[in-house]
Amino acid sequence: MLAKVIDRVLVVGGTHGNELTGVYLVKKFQQFPKLLENNSFRTTVLLANTQAIAANCRYIDRDLNRCFAPQDLADPTVCDYEGTRAKEIAAQWHNEFSSQQSLIIDLHSSTANMGLTLLLANDCPFTLRLAAYLSQLHSDVRVCLAASQGDGDRRLRALSPLNMAIEVGPIAQGIVDARLLQLTEMLVMATLNYIDQANRGQLLPVAPEITVYQSLGSIDYPRDQNGMLQAAIHPQRQFQDYQALNPGDPLFLQFDGQALLYTGNKTTWPIFINEAAYYEKSIAMTFTDQHQVAIAQ
Ligand SMILES: [Zn+2]
């Protein structure tokens, strides 16, 4: 049978401390734990970067979602705040979850127009079918497959081979938007319902195929030798996440008003366009390839 039985679900908010959608949804679940109760598995919630949440910033020393590579978790010289916090979370994970079939749902938000993006590992039939189910519930759901990072994956959710991030936007950092909060809650509750049904041998129906966006890699802004921007995202491209970018289309706008065109030779579908948190990562957008994948029924 395709569906694996799930014993535990971990819902994580605040991996980035100023992404308040996940923070406040987890706080709501902490206040009303009955919302997460069901008979076939147990759901636990976690606020990940507690100090960054208190300070309303993305992180204290460095990005917590890049601290979970196994070699870093085992490195005694790693002792900054996020490195230490990652070790605490990983130890809790291994004590409570790792012996069971456990799914991690990591809640994020983006300043880019990501809609209701489900970020999946690209080789997991269970989460792909789950994403196909969730895609039916709202027209803004998009399914994005991350490039495989193998054992060197540094993200929190990679603690489990069964994992999914929900990335909603556009929303500014440090902002709560009731609509996005409700839609994120809807996706989490629908996921828990899907799993409960699967645990009972009941696979909820899904479309025979869905559109997925496979991450191909990222490009930076044009910069000078000092790292200063020489151009901004072109107005015709801003907020156009998941829209086709064809050879010759405007991509950036130099400050002298001249457009810089996309010089690639094939169509791509950029996402995370002008994400505020990615300026420091030298990422202006991430290119993806769009294709259809068949879903096991
Ligand atoms: Zn995030």
Side-chain angles (χ1 to χ4, degrees):
M1 192 170 111
L2 173 67
K4 297 176 181 173
V5 175
I6 303 284
D7 303 299
R8 297 288 300 267
V9 174
L10 178 64
V11 180
V12 183
T15 299
H16 296 129
N18 55 7
E19 296 177 0
L20 299 190
T21 309
V23 170
Y24 279 93
L25 188 54
V26 164
K27 285 178 181 282
K28 175 176 177 173
F29 289 145
Q30 288 174 329
Q31 192 177 356
F32 303 102
K34 280 195 177 311
L35 289 171
L36 302 177
E37 282 182 8
N38 66 69
N39 292 325
S40 70
F41 62 99
R42 193 171 147 214
T43 302
T44 306
V45 297
L46 171 74
L47 288 173
N49 197 330
T50 46
Q51 282 198 15
I53 294 167
N56 192 22
C57 60
R58 183 173 176 85
Y59 55 77
I60 302 297
D61 292 322
R62 61 193 171 109
D63 187 345
L64 178 61
N65 214 24
R66 299 293 182 273
C67 292
F68 287 84
Q71 62 271 27
D72 294 336
L73 294 172
D75 184 347
T77 67
V78 171
C79 57
D80 58 5
Y81 172 66
E82 275 80 12
T84 304
R85 182 67 181 136
K87 291 176 184 179
E88 291 172 3
I89 292 169
Q92 183 185 353
W93 170 264
H94 289 297
N95 285 337
E96 286 188 43
F97 296 87
S98 62
S99 63
Q100 305 174 74
Q101 194 74 262
S102 303
L103 172 74
I104 295 178
I105 305 172
D106 196 10
L107 305 178
H108 291 258
S109 64
S110 174
T111 65
N113 188 14
M114 295 295 282
L116 306 174
T117 292
L118 310 175
L119 292 170
L120 311 180
N122 70 0
D123 51 1
C124 181
F126 181 86
T127 51
L128 184 63
R129 195 179 188 285
L130 165 64
Y133 172 71
L134 297 175
S135 296
Q136 301 169 156
L137 303 182
H138 198 286
S139 59
D140 285 352
V141 172
R142 301 277 182 275
V143 180
C144 188
L145 306 181
S148 176
Q149 301 185 29
D151 286 345
D153 197 328
R154 297 178 291 163
R155 294 166 301 188
L156 186 157
R157 64 184 185 273
L159 287 170
S160 175
L162 286 177
N163 67 73
M164 175 173 74
I166 301 177
E167 184 87 57
V168 300
I171 183 168
Q173 298 166 345
I175 294 282
V176 182
D177 177 300
R179 176 181 159 274
L180 285 176
L181 194 63
Q182 285 184 316
L183 288 170
T184 304
E185 180 174 4
M186 180 275 289
L187 291 172
V188 172
M189 300 310 290
T191 297
L192 301 183
N193 180 52
Y194 178 92
I195 292 169
D196 192 41
Q197 297 290 321
N199 280 351
R200 298 165 196 279
Q202 187 80 39
L203 283 179
L204 292 172
V206 298
E209 63 174 21
I210 60 168
T211 301
V212 301
Y213 297 83
Q214 175 75 57
S215 178
L216 299 173
S218 301
I219 62 165
D220 192 11
Y221 300 85
R223 296 180 191 261
D224 66 17
Q225 63 271 30
N226 298 316
M228 301 301 287
L229 300 190
Q230 293 185 300
I233 300 292
H234 195 281
Q236 291 177 26
R237 186 50 44 186
Q238 177 68 29
F239 294 127
Q240 300 303 307
D241 302 72
Y242 293 108
Q243 302 302 310
L245 174 69
N246 297 305
D249 282 350
L251 189 54
F252 296 103
L253 186 66
Q254 292 183 168
F255 301 125
D256 63 5
Q258 185 182 340
L260 298 175
L261 308 182
Y262 171 53
T263 57
N265 56 13
K266 56 183 274 200
T267 300
T268 184
W269 288 262
I271 62 173
F272 287 115
I273 297 170
N274 214 8
E275 160 60 48
Y278 289 173
Y279 277 70
E280 68 178 25
K281 293 183 191 293
S282 301
I283 293 174
M285 65 187 72
T286 297
F287 286 167
T288 74
D289 196 12
Q290 181 202 64
H291 57 268
Q292 303 294 117
V293 295
I295 304 298
Q297 298 298 302

